[in-house]
Amino acid sequence: MTLASTGSLLADARAEKRAVAAFNVITLEHAEGIVAGAERAGRPVILQISENAVKFHDGCVLPIALAAHAMAEAANVPVSLHLDHVEHDGLLHQATDAGFSSVMFDASHSSYAENVELTRRAADWAHANGLLIESELGQVGGKDGVHLGAHEPGARTDPDEAAAYVASTGVDALAVAVGSSHAMTKRTAGLDFALIEQLRDAVLVPLVLHGSSGVPDDALAKGVRAGIVKVNIGTALNMAYTGAVRSFLADDAKAVDPRKYLESARSALTDTVAQLITVIS
Ligand code: G3H
Ligand code: ZN
């Protein structure tokens, strides 16, 4: 099967009132396990590589991206490649060489005006180079001038501001702050479903949920019914992966061949992917 484009996966999902899962790839085994999980579930999937993962690979995006690209092409379900949470233009501008069809440009830590300015510039570049661009708008909230990060508990995206932001920047998908928070290891996040519906009605582009590992299954499914079209998941895979390695090594203190424990890690990750994909699509 040929590499899919994120744009077509999102359009199909939206038309069918489901979502596409986008899973974070850090190592080769992540990409292999994600593709295997999507194939088991018989659903499309997005392999996403974040700027932080690129930093882990010594700042080199090509080796891991080209490997993921090859796996996407060999998969028997549609798979697209997405470059995630990019803050620096240097990496953004490598997206086309590495086979990504979409990128998430993240200026959510900036003020509203700066977020618009930086994102509009990134969107102009992405569109000139045939890429779909996602970006993030979080509510700058809190009392007494305390700014919440876009995904801190309590942060919320304002629907009117979101409509103005999408019109000013020209982005094709919008990551919204609706109750989830990055890197949660317990699934205790509560989503604001009424806000998701308001955002869905306020902006024409697909809505993206980040920090989905902390959201329970029933809330993920309900969030999709309310209007979420792309569901980003990372930590849940790392918990499965690391948990399997930890338990393998606890059982066999003499193990030295990484294939032994990475096989169990990859297989645990595959189970998690297959289960989560089924919840949202
Ligand atoms: O962009 C990536 C996701 O937002 C991952 O969040 O690690 O909390 O699932 P998570
Ligand atoms: Zn994220």
Side-chain angles (χ1 to χ4, degrees), residues 24 48 84-85 181-184 209-214 232-236:
N24 284 81
Q48 60 186 12
D84 200 31
H85 283 291
S181 188
H182 280 107
M184 288 178 70
L209 184 69
H210 281 242
S212 309
S213 296
N232 283 18
I233 303 167
T235 303

Side-chain angles (χ1 to χ4, degrees), residues 53-68:
V54 174
K55 278 187 198 144
F56 167 73
H57 290 293
D58 257 350
C60 299
V61 65
L62 281 181
I64 187 75
L66 295 178

